Amino acid sequence: MVQLVGSLRKELADSISTCKVLVVGAGGIGCELLKNLVLTGFKNIEVIDLDTIDVSNLNRQFLFQKKHVGKSKAQVAKESALQFCPSANITAYHDSIMNPEYNVEFFRKFMLVMNALDNRAARNHVNRMCLAADIPLIESGTAGYLGQVTVIKKGMTECYECQPKPAQKTFPGCTIRNTPSEPIHCIVWAKYLFNQLFGEEDADQEVSPDTADPEAAWNPEETAARATASDKDGDIKRVSTKEWARSTGYDSVKLFNKLFKDDIMYLLTMDKLWKKRKAPTPLDWHQLENSECPKEGTPASGLKDQQVLDVWGYCQLFQHSVETLRSQLQEKGEGAELVWDKDDPPAMDFVTAAANLRMHIFSMNMKSRFDVKCKSRTKATKQSCQSFYSQISTTNLNVFVNFSSAMAGNIIPAIATTNAVIAGLIVLEGLKILSGELESCRTIFLNKCPNLRKKLLVPCVLDPPSTNCYVCASKPEVTVKLNVHKTMVLTLQDKIVKERFGMVAPDVQIEDGKGTILISSEEGETEGNNSKFLSDFGIRNGSRLQADDFLQDYTLLINVLHVEDLERDVEFEVVGEAPDKAPPPQTNQEEVNSITNGNKDSAQPSTSSKAPSEDDDIMIVDSDEEDGAASSSAAAAATGGTKRKHSDAETGETSTKRPRTDQSAGDNNDDDDIIALD
């Protein structure tokens, strides 16, 4: 007769009470997960999160209260979880999982790792650490009413990076507010600014410097002190951006100097942010007016919307648009608000001017009005929905931007109940692993609407590892197309090896028979190479580079394919992958009515793929008019890109997991944009 401890077999209950698990992330899913683990009987838990608690977290992260604002998420989550089970042994780390001390040996301490992350870099890193340590990893994520859970085990299933993923378009709030590095960051900031000044204010769309940026203060006490300096115990006492602007009469010069001078000078005081970044350069209206006015009057060539103005030109555009929008507010009366519309010229002028001024401050090339509004409009629109889940983020302020009009539209809110369902599924998959039943684990998609079989939860058999994966293959190898005469070593290090291939502290050597070290992880050892071109080291078409990351226990062979010209604004391409696209979905006309489940990155809240948050297309993900299969297809898109046929875990029938794109709906709504928070 089977002995039970509560509702669990005694053997399983004993395993639960003695095993050690790691939870990475203590936000939306992480809070629910930590609570579930202690209530299930897990006694040895370690949780890590770099973030601090923000007021906007309190509506869904129920381990936190107003008095906790500014404190470490991991530490407060631990303290709250212990109230459910005081006998549990929980260790909290207010730190980044990508720090060197969390090495392979650290991961080997655990029987199970559970991810609840909000960015692709960390997901990639944890994926590799679990592969190196040969520890099962449970990935998860949510976006609105949609969610996903999947299991990754070395040699048995696809790893997180087996499927190509489009470029990310989910960004932490501190990136938008403090350290933008791409034009899209500035465009999102400018869109938020429009709402903060003229539209409906949203606490998740703050534009002022983020004083609680965890990267600016690694000491938890220092971070908490910064947050509470303005928010005493969570009671917000500061004047809102809109109230301040109204008090100035929407004076365009005062607004300009506050946004582009005073706030930037404040950012410069957060010196830790600029140790490895180029610091921003503040702009002063009066200095620009005195120095730039004589230069105006030079006619620009080309169509008006395609012209890239100079700094003073965007200053004047900013001034004119502010005055026009102020007049519109006055016409509507006291307390009126403007609604963002990218087809409204003054609104578009404002966002174009503000975004470009911020780009200039952070040393980026400025863009035309046309680029800001319509860059990759149709293509992006479709990609965004198809990859909707691959970049789903799970906690914290993350922005999912539809590049179809480059900014803006509807918000997909974080739903607390979705996080709760997904956290429960994570524990159930964990119980299967601890029972030794890894073969029964599934990728599970949570849909908004029932599918054709009346299911909200759709389980799918796990895929085997991809033989072409550049992470989990026996001998990882890739081919990169670039111009060796124009690509600098710093670009190879930061944008290719670190950003694209996810290494943290790489060493790169040339396979030239001499073992020439091109990039060293030892600080200062090869900095002199950074400004040199690859061709300066004899790298040419057919050269091979070996990149090693000791921390990740990962080696990648990079084949160099020299090309003279790439597409505009493209510095390199990985051969076999279209830039910023996930593989096209496979379709089978006979299976159009089958259940479409979704890609692996779809619920990617915790798993992201290249297509993840970039999702740039209008795929109807949550339409109330869709039939049941639609939402599961959305989930599929979310997971990451394409999926092969999978058999339904219950019926054994095969179904094509592909994103569902409603053509007619897409045609009618290709101007809609999606911003996902969480």
Side-chain angles (χ1 to χ4, degrees):
M1 182 175 177
V2 176
Q3 286 185 293
L4 296 179
V5 176
S7 59
L8 302 174
R9 288 180 292 104
K10 185 177 185 303
E11 297 82 2
L12 178 57
D14 291 342
S15 178
I16 288 172
S17 64
T18 57
C19 77
K20 183 176 285 191
V21 299
L22 173 64
V23 176
V24 187
I29 290 178
C31 282
E32 293 290 336
L33 177 57
L34 203 56
K35 177 223 15 171
N36 289 350
L37 289 174
V38 295
L39 292 177
T40 304
F42 286 86
K43 299 293 186 182
N44 301 293
I45 305 168
E46 297 192 15
V47 58
I48 182 169
D49 195 308
L50 173 62
D51 205 2
T52 54
I53 299 165
D54 187 78
V55 174
S56 63
N57 301 145
L58 303 182
N59 70 332
R60 63 191 181 278
Q61 298 174 22
F62 299 129
L63 297 186
F64 309 143
Q65 299 176 26
K66 190 165 64 172
K67 65 183 179 181
H68 296 137
V69 168
K71 296 181 179 180
S72 163
K73 282 188 175 181
Q75 186 61 39
V76 175
K78 166 193 169 179
E79 295 168 0
S80 299
L82 286 174
Q83 296 181 36
F84 292 97
C85 181
S87 62
N89 177 25
I90 304 177
T91 303
Y93 303 92
H94 179 74
D95 208 348
S96 168
I97 192 63
M98 299 175 72
N99 278 354
E101 52 263 43
Y102 308 111
N103 53 23
V104 175
E105 290 306 313
F106 172 81
F107 277 81
R108 284 184 179 143
K109 297 189 305 181
F110 305 102
M111 290 187 65
L112 189 58
V113 176
M114 302 172 177
N115 262 356
L117 287 163
D118 64 358
N119 69 88
R120 185 186 309 165
R123 291 168 179 164
N124 288 346
H125 180 72
V126 174
N127 173 61
R128 296 177 188 193
M129 299 305 291
C130 289
L131 291 174
D134 198 8
I135 300 297
L137 168 65
I138 302 179
E139 275 287 3
S140 63
T142 60
Y145 295 99
L146 305 171
Q148 176 205 9
V149 173
T150 192
V151 174
I152 295 171
K153 181 65 170 72
K154 182 178 181 180
M156 295 184 63
T157 72
E158 280 187 340
C159 80
Y160 173 67
E161 297 170 82
C162 273
Q163 296 294 333
K165 293 154 185 154
Q168 175 174 358
K169 285 202 178 148
T170 342
F171 312 105
C174 54
T175 299
I176 301 298
R177 296 167 62 182
N178 290 0
T179 55
S181 58
E182 301 175 22
I184 185 60
H185 298 158
C186 300
I187 293 170
V188 172
W189 178 87
K191 170 59 173 55
Y192 284 180
L193 179 61
F194 176 91
N195 287 332
Q196 291 291 327
L197 291 176
F198 307 107
E200 181 180 358
E201 292 180 279
D202 187 329
D204 280 335
Q205 296 186 3
E206 183 57 67
V207 294
S208 298
D210 184 359
T211 57
D213 188 337
E215 188 182 353
W218 285 85
N219 185 314
E221 289 74 23
E222 184 183 347
T223 304
R226 284 186 169 180
T228 55
S230 56
D231 303 346
K232 288 287 184 182
D233 247 4
D235 294 324
I236 309 301
K237 299 184 184 305
R238 43 177 197 257
V239 176
S240 74
T241 303
K242 180 178 287 185
E243 288 176 3
W244 177 83
R246 282 175 176 167
S247 71
T248 69
Y250 284 98
D251 185 295
S252 57
V253 175
K254 290 181 179 178
L255 282 173
F256 182 96
N257 281 335
K258 192 269 183 192
L259 296 166
F260 305 116
K261 177 187 175 185
D262 298 343
D263 283 357
I264 302 303
M265 292 179 70
Y266 184 83
L267 280 176
L268 291 173
T269 66
M270 302 165 72
D271 55 325
K272 290 185 180 180
L273 293 176
W274 318 115
K275 286 187 176 180
K276 296 183 179 180
R277 295 183 178 93
K278 185 175 180 179
T281 305
L283 295 176
D284 182 277
W285 178 276
H286 301 294
Q287 290 181 1
L288 287 168
E289 188 175 31
N290 294 333
S291 61
E292 298 288 348
C293 274
K295 299 180 183 179
E296 65 178 328
T298 304
S301 58
L303 297 175
K304 181 180 178 181
D305 273 10
Q306 296 182 2
Q307 296 170 6
V308 177
L309 309 180
D310 58 17
V311 175
W312 181 245
Y314 283 120
C315 291
Q316 293 178 303
L317 185 62
F318 178 84
Q319 182 181 47
H320 177 71
S321 61
V322 168
E323 292 171 352
T324 304
L325 294 169
R326 178 182 60 194
S327 298
Q328 291 181 0
L329 272 180
Q330 291 173 344
E331 290 174 3
K332 287 179 174 288
E334 184 69 25
E337 294 176 345
L338 301 181
V339 177
W340 164 254
D341 182 353
K342 63 181 174 294
D343 294 321
D344 177 41
M348 197 63 237
D349 285 345
F350 176 84
V351 169
T352 300
N356 275 290
L357 290 168
R358 193 164 172 87
M359 288 179 212
H360 179 77
I361 286 169
F362 286 90
S363 303
M364 299 175 222
N365 292 329
M366 295 188 291
K367 302 293 182 181
S368 69
R369 189 177 189 275
F370 180 82
D371 286 333
V372 171
K373 182 180 180 182
C374 303
K375 187 170 184 180
S376 304
R377 184 177 200 166
T378 303
K379 185 184 295 184
T381 305
K382 294 177 181 176
Q383 289 173 348
S384 85
C385 291
Q386 292 172 351
S387 56
F388 184 84
Y389 288 94
S390 64
Q391 189 100 23
I392 300 179
S393 41
T394 56
T395 53
N396 212 351
L397 171 65
N398 283 278
V399 189
F400 168 56
V401 184
N402 180 352
F403 227 166
S404 72
S405 79
M407 62 223 89
N410 305 315
I411 293 175
I412 298 178
I415 307 296
T417 47
T418 306
N419 290 338
V421 172
I422 292 301
L425 292 172
I426 294 172
V427 175
L428 291 177
E429 293 303 303
L431 296 182
K432 294 179 188 177
I433 295 171
L434 294 177
S435 299
E437 301 173 0
L438 192 60
E439 68 283 353
S440 67
C441 290
R442 296 289 183 265
T443 292
I444 304 173
F445 297 97
L446 170 63
N447 299 318
K448 179 181 178 182
C449 303
N451 64 12
L452 295 179
R453 295 193 180 96
K454 309 301 181 184
K455 297 178 184 177
L456 281 175
L457 294 174
V458 182
C460 302
V461 176
L462 297 171
D463 284 327
S466 169
T467 55
N468 297 321
C469 179
Y470 65 79
V471 173
C472 66
S474 57
K475 294 182 179 180
E477 184 172 343
V478 294
T479 298
V480 178
K481 189 186 298 185
L482 49 76
N483 188 323
V484 297
H485 304 297
K486 296 180 180 178
T487 304
M488 292 191 293
V489 173
L490 185 62
T491 300
L492 173 68
Q493 173 185 282
D494 291 349
K495 295 191 176 180
I496 300 179
V497 179
K498 286 186 176 181
E499 184 177 318
R500 178 60 183 82
F501 295 124
M503 292 191 177
V504 177
D507 294 286
V508 179
Q509 70 175 30
I510 307 171
E511 291 199 342
D512 55 1
K514 305 173 187 177
T516 303
I517 303 297
L518 194 63
I519 298 169
S520 173
S521 58
E522 296 295 328
E523 189 171 352
E525 193 169 296
T526 56
E527 282 186 5
N529 295 344
N530 287 349
S531 59
K532 297 180 181 178
F533 295 103
L534 298 186
S535 57
D536 295 337
F537 296 89
I539 297 174
R540 57 185 185 278
N541 188 51
S543 292
R544 291 158 69 90
L545 309 175
Q546 179 175 305
D548 297 280
D549 191 312
F550 179 77
L551 174 63
Q552 297 179 344
D553 191 19
Y554 173 51
T555 299
L556 176 66
L557 188 63
I558 302 174
N559 298 298
V560 176
L561 181 61
H562 170 72
V563 292
E564 288 297 330
D565 297 303
L566 290 168
E567 292 182 23
R568 181 184 175 186
D569 295 332
V570 174
E571 294 180 286
F572 68 92
E573 288 181 12
V574 178
V575 174
E577 296 179 13
D580 297 333
K581 296 180 191 173
Q586 298 178 1
T587 51
N588 185 325
Q589 197 58 37
E590 296 177 1
E591 299 176 9
V592 166
N593 295 323
S594 297
I595 298 178
T596 56
N597 293 321
N599 298 334
K600 225 172 209 182
D601 298 350
S602 64
Q604 215 163 330
S606 111
T607 22
S608 61
S609 46
K610 213 180 172 184
S613 23
E614 310 190 23
D615 309 350
D616 276 357
D617 297 6
I618 302 188
M619 173 174 118
I620 302 206
V621 180
D622 282 30
S623 172
D624 291 332
E625 299 177 0
E626 276 189 347
D627 59 31
S631 55
S632 62
S633 72
T639 25
T642 50
K643 273 285 202 184
R644 294 175 291 285
K645 294 180 186 177
H646 289 275
S647 60
D648 184 283
E650 296 181 13
T651 65
E653 298 179 27
T654 59
S655 63
T656 304
K657 291 195 272 182
R658 59 178 178 79
R660 173 180 180 177
T661 50
D662 186 316
Q663 189 63 45
S664 62
D667 292 340
N668 295 333
N669 299 307
D670 60 356
D671 286 347
D672 292 345
D673 298 317
I674 300 173
I675 294 179
L677 305 176
D678 229 41

